Amino acid sequence: MKFFCPRMAAAFACLVFLVSGVRADDDRDALVIYPAFGDSRAAVIEGRVIEDRGSAAHRDDAPWWRNLWRNARLMVNSEREHARVRLDVAGRAFDVRTDEEGYFSQAVAGMPALAPGWHTVRGQVGDVAADGRLLVVPAENTIGVISDLDDTLLVTEVNSKRALLTNTFLKNPRQRQAVAGAAQFIRNVAARNPQPAAAPVIYLSASPRQLQANILDFLDHNGFPPGVLLTKRVTNDRTSDPLADQVAYKSAKLEGIFARLPHVRFVLMGDDGERDPEIYQQLREKYPLRVEKILIRRVNPDPARRIIDGQVDLTAAINGVILRGTK
C-alpha cells in the first residue's frame, strides 16, 4: 500500500473509527493462518485469532459504497489475546498461544515427513478450524521470484491522488486491474525449476495484514501462480513492522527470505514509484550471486527518475518474454 495524502488518510481514518463501533453478530473467533515457506531445514508458521466479522464473496458489480465499507471494516480487528491454538503440520501437532495482539508464531523443524512442495496447515481454536499453506522449497528449485505488489503487479496509480483513492478504497479485489502479462511472466520464471509448482514465488507487500485476504483474492482472480504473500504486521507494541519506513521494512523482509532460502537465486520485481530500485540495488551489491535480475516497472513521471544501470524495464521484459515465448 502506498502512502496517501493527509486529507485522504484522515477521511478513511474517520470511517474506520465509525466502523469500529459496529460489532459482529456473535462472539465467534476467526482463525487466520498466513502463507508460510521454508526449506528442508525449517519453516515458521504465523497466524492470528480475531473476532469473526464474516464476509460474503466479492462481486464484480459491487457498488463503490459497499467496497468502501468493507475495506474500512478490514482495518478494524478485535484480537483474541492468549488464545490456545492447535496446529497440525504433516501429522505433527503443535500447541501455541496468541500474544496481546492476537498473533502467534510456531517454528517447524526436524520433520523428515515434511517433503518438498505445498502442505496444508490445519489450525483449531475452540470449535473454529481453518487451513493455511506451507511451501517447502525443493533443493533443486534454485530460481525464485520476489515481487512488490502495488504498481508492480497491481495497478494503483500512486502518482494520481484521485486514481489512488478510487483504486484503493472504492474497489474490491475483483475490480482491481492487474499489470498486463505479469502473471504469465512469473509463471515463465517459475517454469525454469524442475518442480515449477513448488517454485519459490514470494509476493512482498507493504500493506497491513488486515488486507491479506483481499490481496490473495486479487492474485488468484488474475491467474498469478501460487506463492507466499508477506504483508506488514502492524501492532501497538515493539513487535510491529516499521509503519512508515518502507525501506527498513522491505530490506528486513528481503534479508529474511535470502537467509531462509540460501540455495535460491531471485528475480526481483518492483516499480520506481518509491524506493524499490535503491533497495534492490543495495541487496544485489551485498549478495551479488543471489540476485539474477532486477526488473523495474516505470510509473514515476519525473524524467530524472531513470532506471539504475544493470536494472531492466519490467514492461519491456514482460513483452519480450511473451512475444518470444521464452522462459
Side-chain angles (χ1 to χ4, degrees), residues 78-270:
S78 179
E79 62 272 4
R80 307 305 202 200
E81 59 180 294
H82 309 310
R84 181 176 178 270
V85 180
R86 187 173 182 84
L87 299 174
D88 186 282
V89 185
R92 181 174 172 183
F94 300 87
D95 288 319
V96 62
R97 288 192 178 274
T98 61
D99 61 17
E100 287 76 9
E101 297 283 346
Y103 287 105
F104 63 84
S105 178
Q106 175 63 55
V108 177
M111 297 181 60
L114 204 58
W118 285 97
H119 295 264
T120 297
V121 179
R122 302 195 182 280
Q124 186 90 22
V125 55
D127 61 351
V128 176
D131 288 344
R133 302 191 77 201
L134 166 64
L135 173 62
V136 177
V137 179
E140 61 268 31
N141 278 7
T142 59
I143 299 296
V145 174
I146 302 174
S147 180
D148 175 57
L149 264 292
D150 283 304
D151 275 334
T152 301
L153 308 181
L154 171 66
V155 176
T156 304
E157 299 181 88
V158 66
N159 295 303
S160 167
K161 290 184 173 66
R162 181 182 294 275
L164 175 64
L165 173 62
T166 299
N167 288 325
T168 304
F169 296 144
L170 307 185
K171 293 183 179 181
N172 69 47
R174 301 300 178 94
Q175 298 167 334
R176 298 295 300 272
Q177 179 186 351
V179 171
Q184 185 58 51
F185 181 86
I186 295 176
R187 288 187 180 278
N188 288 341
V189 176
R192 295 169 55 190
N193 290 290
Q195 297 187 47
V201 175
I202 298 175
Y203 303 106
L204 177 56
S205 172
S207 294
R209 286 184 176 177
Q210 286 88 338
L211 300 181
Q212 182 99 7
N214 265 14
I215 299 172
L216 288 172
D217 192 1
F218 163 81
L219 292 170
D220 181 66
H221 182 67
N222 288 281
F224 285 91
V228 177
L229 171 62
L230 302 181
T231 48
K232 183 178 290 187
R233 171 174 168 150
V234 179
T235 67
N236 295 320
D237 58 24
R238 60 181 178 81
T239 66
S240 179
D241 287 321
L243 183 59
D245 191 341
Q246 305 295 61
V247 174
Y249 166 73
K250 281 195 171 182
S251 297
K253 291 297 183 185
L254 289 164
E255 291 273 358
I257 296 167
F258 275 39
R260 194 169 296 176
L261 299 176
H263 69 290
V264 177
R265 285 172 54 85
F266 285 100
V267 174
L268 306 179
M269 299 170 58

